């Protein structure tokens, strides 16, 4: 997400900053690798990385190698990831603990960009292997220069932004919810924790929050009465762009899909705004998560869960919190018209045509408020 506005409400007023220690941990959806498993995987991933170190990550041969490398994951991990891909779970997340990472990682990139993926070969291949197990890797030209694996690190001067380079409370959101080919899964690999271990990555799952809603509110949330602001990196950065009206909940009643963003989403009328506040309260009452440690790899189901992060302090000295992010979709073919041949990176939204006036397609048109009605 790239939004330059500050949170819509101060965290203490919204009750939203998950920093008070009341977050339910992820013990029941955590798989911890043994030392022997970690060593064997690290050796295998390092070998693959060495052989392909001169290739771009947006290379089918490299991504195929990463997918095959994923088959080396322990059977219980493969079974868990396969079940999560097909059915999800009530937590909306899986945590793989003790994944192999590089013994001497470089400094946390202070500008939010690691110069070369081969500077972090083991962690990169480990993450690609997991992402390729739950789906097909995908990226977006508008976001982080279209990188397949992206760096999530604090950037000096961006502390108050609602984006991955900030350090303030990052409000709960569906990742790239406005995009027609938004990711089905988000993987987050921890290279370094924050110094004080206060940055809690949190997940709100529809399965846990929706039972707390009243029936009238659930009905409103299923209606197209909500709009999303588009992250500024996906537009021209000069104006707010909004999607057409969308529902928050869709799909079946017993296993609904979810689209929510408590910073960038707004209801189109008072009843819709009240419904959004009610579901926000339900999510805040049922959050799961915790501080990610070195070698933790979190897999979030972006179809049924939203995620965020509590605030933390940064030093901007190369030792700050550093996560790496990679997206996956269950059907890469669906986006084939939006990607150059042989690439996993979707073209800019403007090139796809969603900023142009025209008839509403199955994917909501994105509108510029300055040109509404055109």
């Amino acid at each position: 997400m790239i939004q330059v506005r500050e949170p819509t409400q101060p965290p203490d007023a919204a009750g939203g900053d998950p920093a008070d220690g009341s977050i339910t941990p992820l013990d029941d959806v955590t798989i911890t690798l043994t030392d022997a498993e970690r060593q064997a995987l690290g050796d295998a991933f390092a070998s693959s990385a060495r052989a392909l170190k001169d290739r771009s990550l947006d290379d089918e041969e490299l991504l195929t190698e990463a997918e095959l490398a994923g088959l080396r994951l322990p059977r219980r991990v493969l079974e868990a990831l396969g079940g999560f891909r097909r059915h999800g779970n009530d937590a909306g997340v899986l945590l793989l603990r003790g994944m192999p990472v590089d013994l001497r990682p470089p400094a946390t990139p202070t500008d939010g960009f690691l110069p070369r993926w081969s500077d972090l070969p083991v962690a990169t291949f480990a993450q690609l292997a997991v992402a390729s197990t739950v789906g097909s890797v995908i990226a977006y030209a508008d976001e982080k220069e279209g990188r397949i694996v992206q760096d999530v690190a604090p950037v000096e001067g961006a502390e108050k932004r609602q984006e991955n380079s900030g350090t303030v409370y990052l409000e709960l959101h569906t990742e790239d919810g406005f995009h027609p080919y938004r990711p089905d899964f988000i993987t987050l690999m921890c290279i370094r924790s924050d110094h004080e271990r206060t940055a809690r990555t949190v997940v709100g799952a529809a399965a846990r929050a929706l039972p707390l809603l009243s029936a009238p509110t659930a009905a409103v949330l299923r209606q197209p009465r909500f709009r999303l602001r588009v992250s500024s990196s996906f537009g021209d950065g000069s104006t707010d762009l909004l999607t057409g009206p969308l529902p928050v909940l869709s799909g079946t009643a017993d296993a609904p899909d979810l689209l929510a963003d408590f910073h960038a989403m707004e209801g189109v009328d008072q009843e819709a705004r009240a419904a959004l506040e009610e579901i926000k309260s339900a999510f805040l009452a049922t959050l799961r998560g915790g501080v990610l440690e070195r070698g933790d790899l979190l897999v979030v189901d972006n179809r049924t869960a939203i995620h965020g992060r509590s605030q933390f302090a940064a030093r901007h000295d190369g030792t700050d919190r550093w996560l790496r992010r990679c997206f996956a979709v269950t059907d890469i073919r669906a986006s084939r018209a939006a990607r150059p041949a042989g690439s996993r990176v979707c073209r800019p939204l403007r090139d796809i045509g969603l900023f142009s006036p025209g008839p509403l397609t199955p994917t909501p048109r994105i509108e510029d408020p300055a040109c509404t009605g055109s």
Side-chain angles (χ1 to χ4, degrees):
M1 296 181 59
I2 308 284
Q3 293 284 346
V4 297
R5 293 177 299 279
E6 296 187 25
T8 51
Q9 293 177 303
D12 55 350
D17 189 348
D20 61 2
S22 63
I23 309 305
T24 303
L26 297 171
D27 297 346
D28 58 322
V29 289
T30 296
I31 302 174
T32 302
L33 273 65
T34 66
D35 291 343
E37 290 169 338
R38 180 168 55 253
Q39 182 64 51
L41 284 174
D43 291 344
F45 295 152
S47 176
S48 295
R50 282 194 300 270
L52 296 164
K53 62 182 176 62
D54 296 324
R55 299 289 187 99
S56 162
L57 292 186
D58 188 22
D59 177 279
E60 280 300 319
E61 182 177 340
L62 184 148
L63 292 173
T64 297
E65 178 64 24
E67 185 175 354
L68 294 173
L71 297 176
R72 295 176 177 270
L73 291 164
R75 181 183 179 92
R76 69 185 190 286
V77 174
L78 289 172
E79 289 176 345
L81 290 172
F84 191 58
R85 180 187 70 242
R86 292 187 295 273
H87 311 299
N89 63 26
D90 287 349
V93 65
L94 280 178
L95 174 59
L96 305 182
R97 179 148 282 170
M99 287 289 290
V101 292
D102 302 84
L103 294 178
R104 289 179 293 278
T108 300
T110 55
D111 62 353
F113 291 93
L114 181 69
R116 297 168 299 276
W117 73 262
S118 56
D119 292 339
L120 211 59
V122 175
T124 299
F125 250 82
Q127 187 163 13
L128 287 174
V130 171
S132 299
T133 301
V134 293
S136 297
V137 170
I138 194 169
Y140 308 94
D142 289 310
E143 190 166 43
K144 289 282 188 177
E145 300 180 352
R147 294 194 176 196
I148 296 290
V149 180
Q150 306 161 11
D151 298 289
V152 176
V155 175
E156 192 167 12
E159 291 86 354
K160 293 185 177 181
R161 294 185 176 183
Q162 279 290 295
E163 58 178 272
N164 58 67
S165 58
T167 58
V168 295
Y169 164 51
L170 184 63
E171 295 193 65
L172 295 165
H173 62 280
T174 297
E175 192 71 35
D176 296 339
F178 51 81
H179 202 283
Y181 309 113
R182 65 178 179 265
D184 293 318
F185 296 98
I186 308 157
T187 65
L188 295 170
M189 168 75 92
C190 181
I191 307 302
R192 286 191 181 95
S193 296
D194 64 302
H195 297 99
E196 288 76 28
R197 303 296 195 273
T198 58
R200 289 179 171 85
T201 300
V202 292
V203 178
R208 293 176 179 269
L210 299 191
L212 302 182
L213 300 180
S214 65
T217 291
V220 170
L221 293 169
R222 284 190 168 275
Q223 299 168 16
R225 295 164 68 175
F226 307 87
R227 293 162 71 96
L228 267 174
R229 294 186 186 91
V230 178
S231 293
S232 59
S233 64
F234 283 79
D236 59 13
S238 63
T239 59
D240 279 345
L241 298 165
L242 296 171
T243 66
L246 299 163
V248 170
L249 301 176
S250 59
T252 64
D254 58 336
D257 288 334
L258 170 70
L259 172 60
D261 188 321
F262 298 127
H263 174 71
M265 178 174 272
E266 59 186 37
V268 300
D269 54 57
Q270 182 56 43
E271 190 175 35
R273 289 190 286 272
L276 200 59
E277 285 301 312
E278 185 174 330
I279 194 173
K280 178 178 181 178
S281 297
F283 277 117
L284 292 175
T286 55
L287 287 180
R288 307 284 305 277
V291 176
L292 296 181
E293 302 286 351
R294 172 184 168 87
D296 284 355
L297 200 164
L298 195 70
V299 186
V300 180
D301 187 342
N302 200 46
R303 306 165 299 182
T304 65
I306 51 181
H307 67 287
R309 186 214 63 236
S310 64
Q311 66 180 0
F312 67 100
R315 300 177 184 175
H316 306 295
D317 62 355
T319 65
D320 281 323
R321 181 180 188 264
W322 183 12
L323 305 185
R324 307 202 81 210
R325 182 176 66 182
C326 183
F327 301 134
V329 291
T330 56
D331 182 8
I332 190 66
R333 193 171 184 272
S335 62
R336 62 194 181 281
R339 293 178 286 107
S343 174
R344 298 290 186 91
V345 182
C346 289
R347 295 185 180 93
L349 275 183
R350 288 192 178 278
D351 293 351
I352 293 174
L354 295 183
F355 294 138
S356 302
L360 193 66
T361 66
T363 299
R365 190 179 78 227
I366 295 176
E367 303 169 355
D368 184 335
C371 304
T372 298
S374 62

